[in-house]
Amino acid sequence: MANTEMVDIKLVKSFSSQAELGEGVFYSQARAKVYWVDIYGCKIHVMDWHSHSVETFSTPEPVCWVKEIVSGQLIAGFVTGIFILDEKCRPQHKLWQLPGDAAGNRLNDAKVDRHGNLYFGTMDISEKNASGKLYQLHEPNNAIPIDTGYVVSNGPAFSPDGNIIYSVSSKPRIVYALHLGCNKQPSSKIPFIRLSESQGHPDGVTVDANGYLWVCAWDGSAVLCYSTEGSLVQSYSLPVPRITSVTFAGPELDFLVITSARTGLSPSDLLAFPLSGDTFLFKTNTNGIIDKPANLRIA
């Protein structure tokens, strides 16, 4: 689509997941399934694309995200580390352990870049200290921090050519643009977007085929679409205040799947916004970019 200012989204269906903290939505084109998690509810939800039926698996500890690797296996980020999953979404072999010096932190969000590199962030559990980091997992047990200073790290997302990482620092309401140099390591870090107090806090993000950045607004009741220059193109309202993660899905990647949260809302808020924690499916007239499986080779 040439003119992103004409982007239209239309609600197709909502899924009554009623998640405490819905997050980590991911579409596997190979499996034709949508995955999302309820971090605090210790659940992985799996939606079959063709039937829209949802299967839910319980996990032994809070789970933050699910991704696919080149072998076709699934991996998941739990609060303390990254594990291979079996077909029932049960953790099996551990791939990476949160370092002992990060005892007050947990994993939070993750994304695979255009070259198949897995990036994931950590956050301070108390949401007070800037102890979170953005990591790149090169191979099992070898995660390298590429950026630091996050209270809550979210995202990241990547420009269509893969040369910019959009990394979210939720607490100060900033989405940073990390420009990669010739060695594919960040050469500069600049604030790309600053949300106002009325817009809420940036949470999960994704990029469409035009390079536009879609930002979930926690306590903003919206998904915000920004141009490649960082100007707000459109704001899409949702019937819940705490929007958490977004991805493009479907064979043509022309649907949006958006998750939300109930955690921290008062009883009166939950009465006013009863769909909080649900997951929403929208049809769009734009397209996303396929998520590559992570280039992790498991011996």
Side-chain angles (χ1 to χ4, degrees):
M1 190 191 68
N3 186 356
T4 306
E5 293 190 7
M6 299 298 293
V7 171
D8 180 54
I9 71 172
K10 180 179 180 181
L11 181 64
V12 174
K13 187 172 184 176
S14 62
F15 300 90
S16 183
S17 45
Q18 291 287 284
E20 282 300 306
L21 183 53
E23 272 285 7
V25 66
F26 159 69
Y27 175 66
S28 166
Q29 198 159 54
R31 293 169 176 253
K33 295 181 186 295
V34 178
Y35 297 82
W36 70 93
V37 303
D38 180 354
I39 296 179
Y40 294 156
C42 301
K43 292 174 183 170
I44 297 173
H45 300 286
V46 185
M47 187 262 279
D48 180 86
W49 184 257
H50 302 294
S51 67
H52 287 180
S53 61
V54 177
E55 191 171 8
T56 298
F57 301 93
S58 295
T59 60
E61 67 175 81
V63 57
C64 308
W65 47 263
V66 175
K67 291 287 179 280
E68 198 168 24
I69 61 176
V70 288
S71 66
Q73 293 170 287
L74 296 175
I75 62 172
F78 290 81
V79 290
T80 59
I82 300 172
F83 288 79
I84 296 175
L85 299 180
D86 66 15
E87 288 303 311
K88 294 295 184 180
C89 292
R90 294 171 296 205
Q92 303 297 305
H93 177 67
K94 183 179 288 186
L95 298 178
W96 183 80
Q97 173 73 41
L98 191 69
D101 60 0
N105 285 6
R106 70 164 175 84
L107 273 69
N108 193 45
D109 205 354
K111 196 68 68 71
V112 178
D113 75 4
R114 309 299 175 214
H115 311 290
N117 301 306
L118 175 66
Y119 290 80
F120 66 94
T122 59
M123 60 172 280
D124 175 43
I125 294 171
S126 69
E127 298 188 22
K128 295 177 181 178
N129 304 309
S131 55
K133 299 178 181 180
L134 179 65
Y135 291 87
Q136 182 181 351
L137 187 65
H138 289 273
E139 57 188 20
N141 300 312
N142 184 17
I144 306 299
I146 66 162
D147 198 24
T148 61
Y150 294 87
V151 178
V152 179
S153 168
N154 266 300
F158 308 93
S159 60
D161 62 8
N163 291 328
I164 302 173
I165 301 173
Y166 296 108
S167 184
V168 180
S169 186
S170 294
K171 192 79 170 182
R173 308 176 196 272
I174 299 173
V175 180
Y176 288 102
L178 280 62
H179 293 262
L180 302 184
C182 296
N183 61 354
K184 297 302 179 184
Q185 295 301 308
S187 60
S188 67
K189 175 184 177 180
I190 59 172
F192 180 67
I193 295 167
R194 294 180 187 266
L195 269 62
S196 67
E197 185 174 352
S198 64
Q199 289 176 309
H201 294 266
D203 201 317
V205 290
T206 195
V207 170
D208 67 24
N210 298 303
Y212 280 56
L213 182 68
W214 296 71
V215 180
C216 294
W218 173 277
D219 281 345
S221 301
V223 174
L224 310 173
C225 180
Y226 289 87
S227 74
T228 54
E229 290 75 38
S231 60
L232 181 63
V233 174
Q234 283 177 287
S235 175
Y236 302 94
S237 296
L238 278 86
V240 293
R242 299 195 155 173
I243 316 302
T244 54
S245 68
V246 57
T247 196
F248 284 90
E252 304 301 323
L253 299 174
D254 55 353
F255 288 81
L256 282 171
V257 186
I258 300 169
T259 60
S260 66
R262 297 169 58 84
T263 187
L265 295 177
S266 68
S268 60
D269 288 334
L270 292 172
L271 282 174
F273 305 105
L275 300 181
S276 292
D278 286 355
T279 298
F280 303 90
L281 176 65
F282 290 87
K283 179 71 172 69
T284 80
N285 61 339
T286 191
N287 303 89
I289 303 173
I290 189 170
D291 283 328
K292 287 193 172 183
N295 291 327
L296 289 174
R297 307 287 178 178
I298 310 301

